[in-house]
């Protein structure tokens, strides 16, 4: 049975190098918490003429980061909802 292995490179980061992303021509819409992984992925894509199998590790790491970012947003939403319910029940 396969399992999920922790990949520290796929952790979303809030401290992004905006200047480096600008130089790498990353669109503004993609300069989020996983933008630091999109730069090496796009570099690999350009180097290999977008051959799908060549950049699979970089693509997987980027997609895993996007999923982890999604999970963090969902968890934050749950925490806000719990705090709102708790604040409402105190009144």
């Amino acid at each position: 049975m396969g399992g999920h292995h922790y990949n520290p490179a796929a952790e979303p980061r809030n401290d992004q190098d905006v200047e480096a992303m600008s130089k790498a021509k990353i669109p503004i819409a993609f300069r989020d918490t996983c933008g630091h992984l999109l730069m090496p992925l796009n570099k690999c894509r350009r180097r290999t003429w977008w051959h799908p199998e060549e950049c699979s590790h970089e693509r997987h790491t980027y997609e895993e980061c996007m999923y982890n970012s999604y999970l963090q947003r969902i968890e934050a939403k749950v925490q806000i909802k719990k705090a709102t319910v708790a604040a409402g029940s105190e009144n």
Side-chain angles (χ1 to χ4, degrees):
M1 291 275 168
H4 180 73
H5 301 284
Y6 175 70
N7 183 358
E11 283 299 311
R13 292 187 353 203
N14 290 327
D15 58 329
Q16 298 293 331
D17 187 0
V18 178
E19 191 173 316
M21 283 194 266
S22 178
K23 287 180 182 177
K25 298 180 181 174
I26 303 294
I28 293 175
F30 292 97
R31 295 180 192 179
D32 56 2
T33 56
C34 297
H36 64 285
L37 297 172
L38 194 57
M39 290 185 291
L41 174 59
N42 284 346
K43 183 184 273 187
C44 178
R45 285 173 170 169
R46 286 187 208 103
R47 182 175 38 87
T48 61
W49 294 85
W50 292 79
H51 194 265
E53 287 83 28
E54 295 296 320
C55 305
S56 61
H57 176 71
E58 290 89 348
R59 183 176 51 87
H60 176 73
T61 304
Y62 176 72
E63 289 174 352
E64 187 176 359
C65 179
M66 294 298 286
Y67 179 69
N68 290 339
S69 177
Y70 167 76
L71 291 179
Q72 286 179 355
R73 290 192 310 272
I74 295 299
E75 182 61 30
K77 184 177 178 182
V78 167
Q79 295 301 324
I80 290 170
K81 191 170 186 176
K82 283 182 184 178
T84 305
V85 169
S89 66
E90 290 176 1
N91 291 334

